[in-house]
Structure formats: C-alpha cells, structure tokens
Amino acid sequence: AVVSTQSTGRGLNYEEMSRWDTCGGRTYFFPKINTIYTGVPKTGCSNWIEALLRAEGELKGQLDPQKVRKVHGGLSGRHRLGASGSILKTYTNEDLDKAFSFAVVRNPWTRMVSGFRDKVSSEETQGGSFRGIGKGIVRMMRHITDEKELDKLYPTFTEFARWLVIRQTHGTVDGHFAPQWKTLCTPRVKYDMVVPLEFSAKLIKTVWAQTGVKDIPILSSYDKTSDPRIQSSARKAKQWLMEIELETIERLYKVYEADFVMMNYSNFTDPNFPLPLQVKPIET
C-alpha cells in the first residue's frame, strides 16, 4: 500500500512509504493473514484482537467474553510492533506496507463515557479497574487526602470530565482516555481502512474479505441492541454531558477535536448521535 505524498481533510501529509517502524505497541501484525491492526483503547480492541488471533490460527475457539482481556498479554505480545517486539526484527517497512491495514475508531463522547464506566466508575459490572486514577480524581476535585475516606469514594462523570480537561492541558493521561489520533500511526502511515465502531457490524465482512479468511464473529459488547444510537453509552452520554457546564464541554471538544473531524462525528445533541454526520442512519 505505497501511497504518494498527499493531504487529507485534516491537513496531514502522509509519508511516501509508510513508516510502520514508528508505530507503538498497540499496533499488531498478523503474518499468516498479512494484516496490520491498530487497537485504539475503548473501541472494542480486545474483541478485534481475539478475532484476529482466531483468524491467524492461534486460538481454536472463541474466548469466554469475561476472559477476553487476556489477549493483551502473551497471546498477542509477539505480534506487537514497537521497539520491544520482534516483528520489526523480521519484517521491513516494505514488507509491512504490502499488508492490509486497518484501525477502528469511535465517537469521542461515547468513548469517553465507556472509559469512565469501565475504568473509574463504581459500576459493579465493569468499573474500578483503574482504581488509583479514580481515587486521584476524587482527591483533586474534592480536596480529600484521607486514604481511608478515599477508598470508599468514586468520581462522578462531571468530575472525570473536568479532570480530563486539566490533565490533557497540563499533563498526560492513560491511552484509554487520550485522543484516538495519538494511538493511530497517522500520518507516518496510511491505513487501508479506518472503521467507525458504530458501523463495524456492517463493515466486518469487508474487513475479513481483505484478509482472505472466512467471516469470523466478533465478541459482542455489553449491549443487547446493535443500534449504537440507543446503546447504553450513547444514552448515558446524552444525559451526563447535558449536566456539565458549557465551558468544560467546549474545552473537552478542543481536546478531542481531531478525533471528531477524523470521521465527521456528531455531537451528543444530534438526533443520530453517535453516528458520523451525513451518513444514512442504521435501519432498525
């Protein structure tokens, strides 16, 4: 997939030859199916990696959904690009540029809600895996220093949103909360496909057709419905974001602006939120 130097709608200038050697450890190469995938956190990346490992022949059956996070360890480690992996010792940029490459992205508002619920909220089904960060948010926002008291407390979504503005203006945040473009390898490489998560169920056949393998089902999300407009992250995003002061919303948009522009994503006030704008709504 050698491309000429060109400009995109975001004003990015691509390299003439993709520089896969500059990608980080969230980009994977599966040589048997000749496929490169960049796993952006909170876009279903665990489920995609699990399916790609099955396509590669390294998993014989579908993992238990409760154990899918195991794919981020030894199961997928040898497929990672990045300085610590073995892929770049075996394959050149020219080799990798012949592979089919794709990534999955998501509406920044629903991704933000998903990150909050999964990592720092008090939800029993999925929250609290980043407990230290959660307590740090409460400590900063409520000025509480007693550790025993902090052990009992969880941040609200509004506190999380204000913390994101502060941290991304005056520091750094974990990749699960950082803008998606920071995980993607662009503009050093040009992907063959960038799939909106909201349409992944419809585009998955196109992805598998490019890899040359039979259709492999992707593990489903927590939601029973396939319509992203009425899934829980979309419903909660509309509710929670409406409760936040306009100044914080505007500053958050600035932080994630490139992610919104990338797929022309809708705002949470749009009737077809979280779909990209100017696309035909999903039929129900």
Side-chain angles (χ1 to χ4, degrees), residues 18-24 81-83 88 93 96 189:
S18 290
R19 292 290 309 278
W20 293 105
D21 60 316
T22 65
C23 294
L81 273 66
L88 296 176
N93 278 318
L96 296 171
V189 308

Side-chain angles (χ1 to χ4, degrees), residues 20 36 40 51 63 71 76 83 96 103 105 109 119 124 139-140 168 183 204 206 208 219 230 234 248-249 268 270 279:
W20 293 105
I36 295 172
V40 177
L63 284 180
V71 301
S76 63
L96 296 171
V105 296
W109 292 132
K119 300 302 179 184
E124 292 183 4
R139 183 184 294 110
M140 177 186 291
Q168 301 205 73
T183 299
I204 188 172
T206 305
W208 291 135
L219 289 169
I230 56 176
T248 297
I249 294 294
F268 62 89
D270 189 274
V279 296

Side-chain angles (χ1 to χ4, degrees), residues 215-277:
D215 291 351
I216 294 177
I218 301 290
L219 289 169
S220 60
S221 69
Y222 293 104
D223 288 281
K224 300 300 182 183
T225 175
S226 60
D227 187 340
R229 294 171 298 177
I230 56 176
Q231 287 180 344
S232 59
S233 286
R235 289 186 285 104
K236 288 182 182 295
K238 287 182 178 182
Q239 175 189 343
W240 292 345
L241 289 163
M242 288 293 290
E243 297 171 354
I244 300 175
E245 62 278 359
L246 182 59
E247 179 185 358
T248 297
I249 294 294
E250 290 177 341
R251 292 177 69 184
L252 278 172
Y253 180 85
K254 284 295 183 182
V255 169
Y256 297 98
E257 185 173 12
D259 288 353
F260 281 103
V261 172
M262 178 165 43
M263 282 291 170
N264 198 22
Y265 269 121
S266 56
N267 194 15
F268 62 89
T269 55
D270 189 274
N272 283 316
F273 171 78
L275 305 182
L277 294 169

